[in-house]
Amino acid sequence: MLDGHPWVFANEVEALLPAEHDGEVVECRDRAGRLLGTGLYNSKSQIVWRRLSRERVALDEAYLRAALAAAIARRGGMGDSSAWSGPSRTACPGSSRTSSATRSCCRSRRSRWTSARR
């Protein structure tokens, strides 16, 4: 993660967030509190966090439209944008459920996970 990998695995954290945070947008920070990115959390997967952005973002219509447009542009504008709607074809991983609330969670094995409702 610190080297830019877009995922955090369950065995790379000291403690997981409760399952109630599954599907929510959470922030990942290093031990010093620096933002590593915003992503989707899933305690039921070996990949517990999947980065959406290195910045703080809200997973809303504007973000999804921009991510989709960027993904299409990277592919040279191939085809109609409706054909590129699957999660494997966009700039962001898919999620079955998201929350408008952003949760803060952190920390790889080199630090700790925390959760603070905002």
Side-chain angles (χ1 to χ4, degrees):
M1 179 69 217
L2 297 174
D3 295 327
H5 197 278
W7 302 337
V8 172
F9 290 89
N11 66 347
E12 297 175 330
V13 298
E14 293 176 356
L16 296 175
L17 292 172
E20 69 188 44
H21 297 288
D22 287 354
E24 292 183 351
V25 175
V26 295
E27 293 175 356
C28 187
R29 297 178 180 275
D30 67 11
R31 187 173 283 203
R34 293 177 297 232
L35 180 68
L36 298 174
T38 303
L40 297 171
Y41 182 77
N42 182 358
S43 68
K44 294 174 183 70
S45 173
Q46 288 186 20
I47 301 171
V48 295
W49 186 82
R50 298 167 193 258
R51 182 174 45 219
L52 295 171
S53 173
R54 293 180 189 270
E55 308 296 325
R56 178 179 284 160
V57 297
L59 185 57
D60 56 14
E61 183 178 350
Y63 172 81
L64 292 173
R65 285 185 182 278
L68 185 59
I72 292 168
R74 279 194 302 274
R75 290 168 176 81
M78 297 185 309
D80 179 357
S81 64
S82 63
W84 295 99
S85 60
S88 64
R89 295 192 171 103
T90 65
C92 57
S95 171
S96 60
R97 176 176 78 85
T98 60
S99 168
S100 59
T102 298
R103 306 285 186 245
S104 288
C105 74
C106 341
R107 321 231 171 149
S108 67
R109 185 168 290 261
R110 298 175 195 143
S111 57
R112 294 163 278 168
W113 284 94
T114 61
S115 174
R117 297 190 187 248
R118 298 200 185 254

